[in-house]
């Protein structure tokens, strides 16, 4: 944990036995989630650094964690599926079969997007799925969307990328692709700027 302004290292959260793949902080700033290749997700008290709970049973690498806008729910993406959990009692409320590389939750609607990958690899992105997590209904499959997904701050757009030739921008309401951004390699991370005017991608250079 780092101080944003001074850059001081405030705390180190120890417990995972393998690579930590993703972290997320709750809206109230009290809870930290972490996922790992050790096949667990840990829930931490941010103030004390204490691990409150360890979730197991993912039967493969846990790749990604993210909170819903109100932090009442959180999603986990792993080698064998996507699951949605209640933050208060850690009850699993729904699950979807998929080899999932990244999950994103809309900031404005009960929509969950997840990017799938073949052979548990970021490089082999397949379809992107959109799910209404309030009803559990799968709304859309976008073939070739990629393994990485990110909603825009207003929830109107979804960015998708992987090893394919471009970052694709999807209009949620119109249900269609509205643009493509050229890229240089396999995208391993994807995000919108707070204004929604920019898309930022971290990628592995393809030599």
């Amino acid at each position: 944990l780092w101080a944003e302004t001074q850059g001081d290292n405030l705390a180190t959260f120890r417990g995972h036995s393998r690579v930590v793949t993703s972290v997320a902080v709750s809206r109230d700033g009290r809870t930290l989630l972490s996922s790992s290749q050790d096949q667990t997700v840990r829930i931490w008290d941010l103030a004390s650094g204490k691990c409150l709970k360890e979730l197991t049973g993912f039967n493969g690498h846990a790749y990604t964690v993210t909170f819903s806008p109100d932090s009442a729910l959180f999603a986990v993406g792993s080698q064998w599926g996507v699951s949605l959990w209640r933050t208060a009692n850690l009850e699993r409320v729904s699950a979807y079969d998929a080899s999932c590389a990244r999950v994103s939750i809309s900031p404005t609607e009960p929509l969950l997007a997840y990017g799938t990958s073949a052979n548990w690899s970021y490089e082999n992105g397949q379809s992107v799925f959109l799910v209404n997590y309030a009803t559990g209904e799968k709304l859309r499959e976008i073939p070739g969307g990629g393994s990485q997904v990110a909603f825009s701050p207003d929830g109107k757009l979804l960015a998708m990328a992987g090893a394919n030739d471009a970052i694709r921008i999807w209009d949620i309401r119109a249900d269609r692709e509205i643009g493509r951004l050229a890229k240089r390699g396999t995208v391993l991370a994807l995000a919108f700027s707070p204004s929604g005017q920019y898309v930022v991608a971290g990628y592995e250079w393809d030599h």
Side-chain angles (χ1 to χ4, degrees):
L1 180 67
W2 300 84
E4 183 177 4
T5 52
Q6 294 88 1
D8 297 330
N9 186 349
L10 303 178
T12 300
F13 299 81
R14 303 185 186 279
H16 287 295
S17 60
R18 296 190 65 186
V19 172
V20 174
T21 54
S22 179
V23 293
V25 177
S26 62
R27 184 176 180 178
D28 61 10
R30 298 174 61 183
T31 305
L32 172 72
L33 298 175
S34 60
S35 59
S36 171
Q37 289 183 359
D38 66 8
Q39 305 184 22
T40 70
V41 169
R42 287 179 174 251
I43 297 93
W44 308 81
D45 178 80
L46 205 58
S48 68
K50 180 181 178 181
C51 180
L52 303 175
K53 185 70 174 179
E54 181 185 64
L55 300 180
T56 60
F58 296 103
N59 298 320
H61 298 169
Y63 281 131
T64 176
V65 286
T66 188
F67 279 105
S68 62
D70 60 3
S71 297
L73 302 168
F74 65 88
V76 179
S78 70
Q79 282 183 326
W80 295 104
V82 178
S83 51
L84 194 66
W85 303 73
R86 295 193 196 281
T87 306
N89 59 9
L90 300 181
E91 174 192 6
R92 192 176 75 168
V93 295
S94 59
Y96 308 93
D97 291 334
S99 180
C100 175
R102 195 66 59 198
V103 174
S104 184
I105 293 180
S106 169
T108 59
E109 299 179 72
L111 292 178
L112 181 149
Y114 58 91
T116 58
S117 55
N119 302 320
W120 312 315
S121 169
Y122 288 116
E123 286 79 9
N124 297 313
Q126 296 183 326
S127 293
V128 166
F129 291 88
L130 282 172
V131 174
N132 182 321
Y133 62 80
T135 65
E137 181 186 3
K138 282 188 178 181
L139 302 176
R140 188 74 162 86
E141 177 182 355
I142 306 170
S147 56
Q148 305 300 307
V149 291
F151 278 102
S152 61
D154 61 7
K156 294 180 179 180
L157 303 176
L158 180 70
M160 306 174 289
N164 42 21
D165 59 357
I167 298 170
R168 300 169 64 184
I169 307 299
W170 194 270
D171 186 306
I172 296 298
R173 292 187 178 180
D175 194 30
R176 64 182 178 88
E177 184 179 307
I178 61 171
R180 294 195 175 203
L181 308 175
K183 63 183 183 65
R184 298 181 179 180
T186 298
V187 173
L188 303 179
L190 196 61
F192 277 90
S193 66
S195 66
Q197 294 182 324
Y198 303 98
V199 175
V200 183
Y203 57 88
E204 178 181 58
W205 185 269
D206 289 342
H207 296 285

